[in-house]
Amino acid sequence: MLKGIDPILGPGLLAVLREMGHGDEIAIVDANYPAASAGPLLVRMEGHDATRVLDAILSVMPLDEFVPDPAIRMEVVGEPDRLEPVMREFDAVLATHEPDVVVASLERFAFYDRVADAYAIVSTGERRLYGNIILKKGIIRPEAG
Amino acid sequence: MLKGIDPILGPGLLAVLREMGHGDEIAIVDANYPAASAGPLLVRMEGHDATRVLDAILSVMPLDEFVPDPAIRMEVVGEPDRLEPVMREFDAVLATHEPDVVVASLERFAFYDRVADAYAIVSTGERRLYGNIILKKGIIRPEAG
């Protein structure tokens, strides 16, 4: 483990998050998601639910301020406006790290298409349906000198 | 880059530091050091001097509190008590992160032998002679609950 870094961020995920640059995307997906076949680099975190992984990732990764939708969840099939408990928990986690971000949403197959272009995908042990969210990485500005 | 993590810690070195456990050692070595032939996993950081790399590593990696010598430098050949400027700078960096640690020292070939058993070695662009130090990783305790 390392000082000041969430212990659930293992060597592989830490490296992936550090490798990502401005605009690269990472998806956090639930246990039903077709993660291994999705295409992007796969990190397995089946010991944690998606909201816990979201919290860990946002503790070190800034979201993109240059776009209106740096966080995107999957919509309920046939009920795009329905908010499941896991979605409300995503919102609560976002609020603690990125209070200005409003989570956008995509229909199921549009979400799959978007994830296919992501840099990485984190497969979690999340059992709640629709526990899927895409994050777009932002920037760290130079320290004021 | 990531929030709160020194930007010179790239994906590879971050992963290595996170992979290491209690008692594992990492060596930071100068540009003359036989690093590639030393044996341990090699991370190249030739754009930085050894003291800068030491500062970055100690910003996330705790030193071992269970041993008297969690930091060990190489001694000047034939003058084991001589303190070179780079050694004094190592001490100053250590003092900011691990104020209780006194840097121990090893004769050149004993230092090589010790590094051969390390988990990893970081080859820096350090041009000052004797810019070599071994660090033994410590622990992070559970948060008080």
Coordinates of all heavy atoms in Angstrom, one line a residue, chain A residues 1-3 5-12 14-15 17-20 58-62 97-98 137 140, chain B residues 1-3 5-12 14-15 17-20 58-62 97-98 137 140:
Chain A
M1 N 0.8 -1.2 0.0 CA 0.0 0.0 0.0 C 0.9 1.2 0.0 O 2.1 1.2 0.3 CB -0.9 0.0 1.2 CG -2.0 -1.1 1.2 SD -3.1 -1.0 2.5 CE -2.1 -1.7 3.8
L2 N 0.3 2.4 -0.3 CA 1.0 3.6 -0.4 C 0.4 4.7 0.4 O -0.9 4.7 0.6 CB 1.2 4.0 -1.9 CG 2.0 3.0 -2.7 CD1 1.9 3.4 -4.2 CD2 3.5 3.0 -2.3
K3 N 1.1 5.7 0.8 CA 0.6 6.8 1.6 C -0.4 7.6 0.8 O 0.0 8.1 -0.3 CB 1.8 7.7 2.1 CG 2.7 7.0 3.0 CD 3.6 8.0 3.7 CE 4.8 8.4 2.9 NZ 5.8 9.3 3.5
I5 N -3.0 7.0 -0.8 CA -3.6 6.4 -2.0 C -4.6 5.3 -1.6 O -4.1 4.4 -0.8 CB -2.6 5.9 -3.0 CG1 -1.7 7.0 -3.5 CG2 -3.2 5.2 -4.2 CD1 -0.6 6.6 -4.4
D6 N -5.8 5.4 -2.0 CA -6.8 4.4 -1.6 C -6.3 3.0 -1.8 O -5.9 2.6 -2.9 CB -8.1 4.6 -2.5 CG -9.3 3.8 -1.9 OD1 -9.1 2.6 -1.6 OD2 -10.4 4.4 -1.8
P7 N -6.3 2.1 -0.8 CA -5.7 0.8 -0.9 C -6.3 -0.1 -1.9 O -5.7 -1.1 -2.3 CB -5.7 0.2 0.5 CG -6.7 1.1 1.3 CD -6.7 2.4 0.6
I8 N -7.5 0.1 -2.3 CA -8.1 -0.8 -3.3 C -7.6 -0.5 -4.7 O -7.8 -1.2 -5.7 CB -9.7 -0.8 -3.3 CG1 -10.3 0.4 -4.0 CG2 -10.2 -1.0 -1.9 CD1 -11.8 0.3 -4.3
L9 N -6.9 0.6 -4.9 CA -6.2 0.9 -6.2 C -4.9 0.1 -6.2 O -3.9 0.4 -5.6 CB -5.9 2.4 -6.3 CG -7.1 3.3 -6.3 CD1 -6.7 4.8 -6.3 CD2 -8.0 3.0 -7.5
G10 N -5.0 -1.1 -6.9 CA -3.8 -2.0 -7.0 C -2.8 -1.5 -8.0 O -3.1 -0.5 -8.7
P11 N -1.7 -2.2 -8.2 CA -0.7 -1.8 -9.1 C -1.2 -1.6 -10.6 O -0.8 -0.6 -11.2 CB 0.3 -2.9 -9.1 CG 0.1 -3.6 -7.8 CD -1.3 -3.5 -7.5
G12 N -2.0 -2.5 -11.0 CA -2.5 -2.5 -12.4 C -3.4 -1.3 -12.7 O -3.2 -0.5 -13.6
L14 N -3.7 1.5 -10.8 CA -2.9 2.7 -10.6 C -2.1 3.1 -11.9 O -2.1 4.2 -12.3 CB -1.9 2.6 -9.5 CG -2.2 3.1 -8.1 CD1 -1.0 3.0 -7.2 CD2 -2.7 4.5 -8.1
A15 N -1.5 2.1 -12.5 CA -0.7 2.3 -13.7 C -1.6 2.8 -14.8 O -1.3 3.7 -15.6 CB 0.0 1.1 -14.1
L17 N -4.5 4.3 -14.6 CA -5.1 5.7 -14.4 C -4.0 6.7 -14.7 O -4.3 7.8 -15.2 CB -5.5 5.8 -12.9 CG -6.7 4.9 -12.5 CD1 -7.0 5.0 -11.0 CD2 -8.0 5.3 -13.3
R18 N -2.7 6.4 -14.3 CA -1.6 7.3 -14.6 C -1.3 7.4 -16.1 O -0.9 8.4 -16.6 CB -0.4 6.8 -13.8 CG 0.9 7.7 -14.0 CD 0.7 9.1 -13.5 NE 1.9 9.9 -13.7 CZ 2.3 10.4 -14.9 NH1 1.5 10.2 -16.0 NH2 3.4 11.1 -15.0
E19 N -1.4 6.2 -16.8 CA -1.2 6.2 -18.3 C -2.2 7.1 -19.0 O -1.9 7.6 -20.1 CB -1.4 4.8 -18.8 CG -0.2 3.9 -18.6 CD -0.5 2.4 -18.8 OE1 -1.7 2.1 -19.1 OE2 0.4 1.6 -18.6
M20 N -3.4 7.1 -18.5 CA -4.5 7.9 -19.2 C -4.1 9.4 -19.3 O -3.6 9.9 -18.3 CB -5.8 7.7 -18.5 CG -6.4 6.3 -18.7 SD -7.8 6.0 -17.6 CE -9.0 7.2 -18.3
L58 N -12.0 8.3 -8.4 CA -12.1 9.8 -8.3 C -11.3 10.4 -7.2 O -11.0 11.6 -7.3 CB -13.6 10.2 -8.1 CG -14.5 9.9 -9.3 CD1 -16.0 10.3 -8.9 CD2 -14.1 10.6 -10.6
S59 N -10.8 9.6 -6.3 CA -9.8 10.1 -5.3 C -8.5 10.6 -5.9 O -7.8 11.4 -5.4 CB -9.6 9.1 -4.2 OG -8.8 8.0 -4.6
V60 N -8.2 10.0 -7.1 CA -6.9 10.4 -7.8 C -7.1 10.9 -9.2 O -6.2 11.7 -9.7 CB -5.9 9.2 -7.9 CG1 -5.4 8.8 -6.5 CG2 -6.5 8.0 -8.6
M61 N -8.2 10.6 -9.9 CA -8.4 11.0 -11.3 C -9.3 12.2 -11.4 O -10.5 12.1 -11.0 CB -8.9 9.8 -12.1 CG -8.7 10.1 -13.6 SD -9.4 8.8 -14.7 CE -11.2 9.3 -14.7
P62 N -8.8 13.3 -12.0 CA -9.7 14.5 -12.2 C -10.6 14.2 -13.4 O -10.2 13.5 -14.3 CB -8.7 15.6 -12.5 CG -7.5 14.9 -13.1 CD -7.4 13.6 -12.5
H97 N -16.5 14.4 -4.9 CA -15.2 14.6 -5.6 C -15.3 15.7 -6.6 O -14.4 16.4 -6.9 CB -14.7 13.3 -6.2 CG -14.4 12.2 -5.3 ND1 -13.3 12.2 -4.5 CD2 -15.1 11.1 -4.9 CE1 -13.2 11.1 -3.8 NE2 -14.3 10.4 -4.0
E98 N -16.4 15.7 -7.3 CA -16.6 16.6 -8.5 C -18.0 17.3 -8.4 O -18.9 17.0 -9.1 CB -16.5 15.8 -9.8 CG -15.2 15.1 -10.0 CD -14.1 16.0 -10.6 OE1 -14.4 17.1 -11.1 OE2 -12.9 15.6 -10.7
K137 N -11.2 11.5 -18.4 CA -10.1 12.0 -17.6 C -9.9 13.5 -17.9 O -9.8 13.9 -19.1 CB -8.8 11.3 -17.7 CG -7.7 11.7 -16.7 CD -6.5 10.9 -16.8 CE -5.4 11.4 -15.8 NZ -4.2 10.5 -15.8
I140 N -4.4 18.0 -14.7 CA -3.8 18.6 -13.5 C -3.1 19.9 -14.0 O -2.2 19.7 -14.9 CB -2.9 17.7 -12.8 CG1 -3.5 16.3 -12.6 CG2 -2.3 18.3 -11.6 CD1 -4.3 16.2 -11.3
Chain B
M1 N -1.5 12.5 -15.5 CA -1.2 12.8 -14.1 C -2.4 12.5 -13.2 O -3.5 12.4 -13.7 CB -0.8 14.3 -14.0 CG 0.6 14.5 -14.7 SD 1.2 16.2 -14.4 CE 0.1 17.1 -15.6
L2 N -2.1 12.4 -11.9 CA -3.2 12.1 -11.0 C -3.1 13.1 -9.8 O -2.1 13.7 -9.5 CB -3.0 10.7 -10.5 CG -3.2 9.6 -11.5 CD1 -2.8 8.2 -11.0 CD2 -4.6 9.6 -12.1
K3 N -4.3 13.3 -9.2 CA -4.4 14.2 -8.1 C -3.6 13.8 -6.9 O -3.7 12.6 -6.4 CB -5.9 14.3 -7.6 CG -6.8 14.9 -8.7 CD -8.2 15.3 -8.1 CE -9.1 14.1 -7.9 NZ -10.4 14.4 -7.5
I5 N -0.5 13.1 -6.5 CA 0.6 12.2 -6.7 C 1.6 12.9 -7.6 O 1.4 13.4 -8.6 CB 0.1 10.9 -7.4 CG1 -0.9 10.2 -6.6 CG2 1.3 10.0 -7.8 CD1 -1.5 8.9 -7.2
D6 N 2.9 12.9 -7.1 CA 4.0 13.5 -7.7 C 4.0 13.1 -9.2 O 4.1 12.0 -9.5 CB 5.3 13.2 -7.0 CG 6.5 14.0 -7.5 OD1 6.6 14.2 -8.7 OD2 7.2 14.5 -6.6
P7 N 4.0 14.1 -10.1 CA 3.9 13.8 -11.6 C 5.1 13.0 -12.1 O 5.0 12.4 -13.2 CB 3.7 15.2 -12.2 CG 4.1 16.2 -11.2 CD 3.9 15.6 -9.9
I8 N 6.2 13.0 -11.4 CA 7.4 12.3 -12.0 C 7.2 10.8 -11.7 O 7.9 10.0 -12.3 CB 8.8 12.8 -11.6 CG1 9.1 12.3 -10.1 CG2 8.9 14.3 -11.8 CD1 10.6 12.5 -9.8
L9 N 6.2 10.4 -10.9 CA 5.9 9.0 -10.7 C 5.1 8.5 -11.8 O 3.9 8.7 -11.9 CB 5.2 8.8 -9.3 CG 6.0 9.1 -8.1 CD1 5.2 9.0 -6.9 CD2 7.3 8.3 -8.0
G10 N 5.7 7.9 -12.8 CA 5.0 7.4 -14.0 C 4.2 6.1 -13.7 O 4.3 5.5 -12.6
P11 N 3.5 5.6 -14.7 CA 2.7 4.4 -14.6 C 3.6 3.2 -14.1 O 3.1 2.4 -13.2 CB 2.2 4.1 -16.0 CG 2.2 5.4 -16.7 CD 3.4 6.1 -16.1
G12 N 4.7 3.0 -14.6 CA 5.5 1.8 -14.3 C 6.0 1.9 -12.8 O 5.9 0.9 -12.1
L14 N 4.9 3.8 -10.4 CA 3.7 3.7 -9.4 C 3.3 2.3 -9.2 O 3.0 1.9 -8.1 CB 2.5 4.5 -10.0 CG 2.2 5.9 -9.6 CD1 0.9 6.4 -10.2 CD2 2.2 6.0 -8.0
A15 N 3.2 1.5 -10.3 CA 2.8 0.1 -10.1 C 3.8 -0.6 -9.3 O 3.5 -1.4 -8.4 CB 2.7 -0.5 -11.5
L17 N 5.9 0.5 -7.0 CA 5.8 0.9 -5.6 C 4.6 0.3 -4.9 O 4.7 -0.1 -3.7 CB 5.8 2.5 -5.5 CG 7.0 3.2 -6.0 CD1 6.8 4.7 -6.0 CD2 8.3 2.8 -5.1
R18 N 3.5 0.2 -5.6 CA 2.3 -0.4 -5.1 C 2.4 -1.9 -4.9 O 1.9 -2.5 -4.0 CB 1.1 0.0 -5.9 CG -0.2 -0.6 -5.5 CD -0.6 -0.1 -4.1 NE -1.9 -0.7 -3.7 CZ -2.1 -1.9 -3.2 NH1 -1.0 -2.7 -3.1 NH2 -3.3 -2.3 -2.9
E19 N 3.2 -2.5 -5.8 CA 3.4 -4.0 -5.8 C 4.2 -4.4 -4.6 O 4.1 -5.5 -4.0 CB 4.2 -4.5 -7.0 CG 3.3 -4.7 -8.3 CD 4.2 -4.8 -9.5 OE1 5.4 -4.7 -9.5 OE2 3.5 -4.9 -10.6
M20 N 5.2 -3.5 -4.2 CA 6.1 -3.8 -3.1 C 5.3 -4.0 -1.8 O 4.3 -3.3 -1.5 CB 7.1 -2.7 -3.0 CG 8.1 -2.7 -4.1 SD 9.2 -1.3 -4.1 CE 10.1 -1.5 -2.5
L58 N 9.4 8.8 -1.6 CA 9.1 9.0 -0.2 C 7.7 9.7 0.0 O 7.1 9.6 1.0 CB 10.2 9.7 0.6 CG 11.5 8.8 0.7 CD1 12.5 9.6 1.5 CD2 11.2 7.5 1.4
S59 N 7.3 10.4 -1.1 CA 6.0 11.1 -0.9 C 4.8 10.1 -0.9 O 3.7 10.4 -0.4 CB 5.8 12.1 -2.1 OG 5.5 11.4 -3.3
V60 N 5.1 8.9 -1.4 CA 4.0 7.8 -1.3 C 4.4 6.6 -0.6 O 3.6 5.8 -0.1 CB 3.5 7.4 -2.7 CG1 2.8 8.6 -3.4 CG2 4.6 6.9 -3.6
M61 N 5.7 6.3 -0.5 CA 6.1 5.0 0.1 C 6.6 5.2 1.5 O 7.6 5.9 1.8 CB 7.2 4.3 -0.7 CG 7.5 2.9 -0.3 SD 8.8 2.1 -1.3 CE 10.2 2.6 -0.3
P62 N 6.0 4.5 2.5 CA 6.5 4.6 3.9 C 7.8 3.7 4.0 O 7.9 2.7 3.4 CB 5.4 4.0 4.7 CG 4.7 3.0 3.8 CD 4.8 3.6 2.4
H97 N 10.5 13.7 5.0 CA 9.4 12.6 4.9 C 9.5 11.7 6.1 O 8.5 11.1 6.5 CB 9.6 11.8 3.6 CG 9.4 12.6 2.4 ND1 8.1 13.0 2.0 CD2 10.2 13.1 1.5 CE1 8.2 13.7 0.8 NE2 9.5 13.8 0.5
E98 N 10.7 11.4 6.6 CA 10.9 10.4 7.6 C 11.9 10.9 8.6 O 13.1 10.5 8.7 CB 11.5 9.1 7.0 CG 10.6 8.4 5.9 CD 9.5 7.5 6.5 OE1 9.6 7.2 7.7 OE2 8.7 7.0 5.7
K137 N 10.7 -0.8 2.2 CA 9.3 -0.4 2.4 C 8.7 -0.8 3.7 O 8.9 -1.9 4.2 CB 8.4 -1.0 1.2 CG 7.0 -0.4 1.2 CD 6.2 -0.8 0.0 CE 4.8 -0.3 0.1 NZ 3.9 -0.7 -1.1
I140 N 1.4 0.5 6.0 CA 0.3 1.5 6.2 C -0.6 0.8 7.2 O -1.1 -0.3 6.9 CB -0.5 1.8 5.0 CG1 0.5 2.3 3.8 CG2 -1.6 2.8 5.2 CD1 0.9 3.7 3.8

